[in-house]
Amino acid sequence: MTQSPPAEFDIADMTWPPPPFQQPVPPVTGADGIRRFDGITYATTPGYRPRLLDVQLPAGEGPFPAVIWIHGGGWLDGDRRYPPPTVPAALLHGAVLGAGLALVSIDYRHSLEAPFPAQLHDVKAAIRYVRRFAPALGIDPDRIGVWGESAGGHLAALAGLVRPGSTDAGTLAALEGAHGVGTGDTGVLAVVDWYGVHDLPALAAHPLPMPTGAEFPNPYEALLGVPVAEQAEPARAASPVTYAVPGSNPPPFLLVHGTADGLVPYSQSETLAEALTGAGGEVALQPVEGADHIFLGSPDIPAIVAESVAFLARHLGAGA
């Protein structure tokens, strides 16, 4: 027997192809007063999974400044819901919300789904979505920052530096993409970048500690679709340092990186810090002495989280 559609269903609302994004639904408010929007579809592309984001709002009246969290995973893996295993989600989320900031956690297409710049297109689409629906989401559209770790740090840096109208305008316009909402401002006021990749050509000769006993793609080749050492232009185009140049007007950056990082060398953040300084930007480079990737070996990860949240709160005007 064929089941009838629910009474509230209106076939006239159906469209084909499906819409490029979905509007927010009402949030769920917890006993702690925190409002949550879970699994909002901010962009769709035929043939790919929908790109989703979650929003958490502090208790109280908004609109709130917002931090967009971009997960890591070598562009091959990862999930908006889970920070790195060294950083408990309760610690990260609680610190952001406790500072009076909204938290927007996003997924993006992995590199074996689509090569670069698909990942940046998705980040840009998420920023446009948050701005478009800021009133419904309880967010101040004029106070948005980004925070990412590892591959997410790379994407956060690009989100801060790549804007139409800046230097190399043709390339930058192409990197904006037109997914989801399609058009709109994608600028951000501040960037926190944990141990991100910043200069891909410089990593071509860096030996990668690959997992043993399993087939695992080279993350840089998977991201670009070509070997880094053989194709200089795609690697240059995907490198944040390319866009940290005089006239680029970068937002303030906080770079945090373990000095013993065996996966992404600490020198990657030194290189970006130098480029941002040369571009006239405000940048703070915070070494985590003796720490490996994802801050393994650090004795005080809560302090790292607190410093990062304080930087964002200061530049986004939390409490103002």
Side-chain angles (χ1 to χ4, degrees):
M1 184 174 68
T2 303
Q3 186 174 11
S4 299
E8 67 272 14
F9 178 81
D10 186 349
I11 196 167
D13 293 335
M14 291 185 64
T15 61
W16 188 261
F21 57 87
Q22 299 289 335
Q23 296 194 26
V25 297
V28 174
T29 303
D32 54 5
I34 293 173
R35 286 172 287 160
R36 294 175 172 83
F37 300 81
D38 292 325
I40 298 174
T41 299
Y42 74 85
T44 63
T45 305
Y48 298 95
R49 60 193 167 99
R51 269 83 82 206
L52 305 179
L53 61 79
D54 300 334
V55 179
Q56 298 181 65
L57 300 173
E61 294 296 323
F64 299 98
V67 177
I68 295 179
W69 168 261
I70 311 171
H71 70 78
W75 311 279
L76 288 160
D77 199 0
D79 186 310
R80 71 186 187 280
R81 297 168 295 177
Y82 307 118
T86 48
V87 183
L91 170 65
L92 183 75
H93 297 181
V96 172
L97 296 169
L101 299 165
L103 179 65
V104 181
S105 306
I106 70 169
D107 282 333
Y108 53 86
R109 283 171 290 176
H110 294 153
S111 57
L112 294 185
E113 295 178 272
F116 185 84
Q119 297 71 32
L120 181 57
H121 286 171
D122 290 348
V123 172
K124 293 283 192 174
I127 296 170
R128 286 193 294 266
Y129 185 95
V130 169
R131 279 216 164 89
R132 167 78 172 269
F133 292 105
L137 296 172
I139 286 172
D140 184 340
D142 297 322
R143 295 190 289 167
I144 296 176
V146 289
W147 181 1
E149 60 97 15
S150 196
H154 163 260
L155 295 172
L158 285 173
L161 291 166
V162 171
R163 297 185 304 280
S166 301
T167 306
D168 202 3
T171 299
L172 294 176
L175 293 177
E176 283 287 311
H179 292 265
V181 170
T183 59
D185 178 22
T186 61
V188 298
L189 293 185
V191 178
V192 173
D193 174 352
W194 283 359
Y195 44 86
V197 172
H198 306 129
D199 183 356
L200 272 77
L203 287 172
H206 177 69
L208 278 173
M210 303 297 282
T212 57
E215 289 290 330
F216 197 86
N218 180 295
Y220 306 125
E221 292 184 10
L223 177 68
L224 302 176
V226 294
V228 177
E230 297 175 16
Q231 298 286 339
E233 179 52 30
R236 187 196 75 85
S239 297
V241 292
T242 300
Y243 309 105
V245 294
S248 59
N249 191 28
F253 269 69
L254 173 63
L255 307 174
V256 190
H257 208 134
T259 59
D261 195 323
L263 187 61
V264 179
Y266 178 73
S267 59
Q268 285 280 303
S269 286
E270 290 180 310
T271 298
L272 182 58
E274 182 178 355
L276 288 166
T277 300
E282 176 188 339
V283 56
L285 173 58
Q286 179 61 51
V288 183
E289 295 296 336
D292 202 338
H293 205 61
I294 66 170
F295 302 136
L296 280 169
S298 169
D300 198 359
I301 287 176
I304 298 171
V305 172
E307 179 181 12
S308 300
V309 170
F311 176 89
L312 289 162
R314 183 168 67 253
H315 287 287
L316 299 180

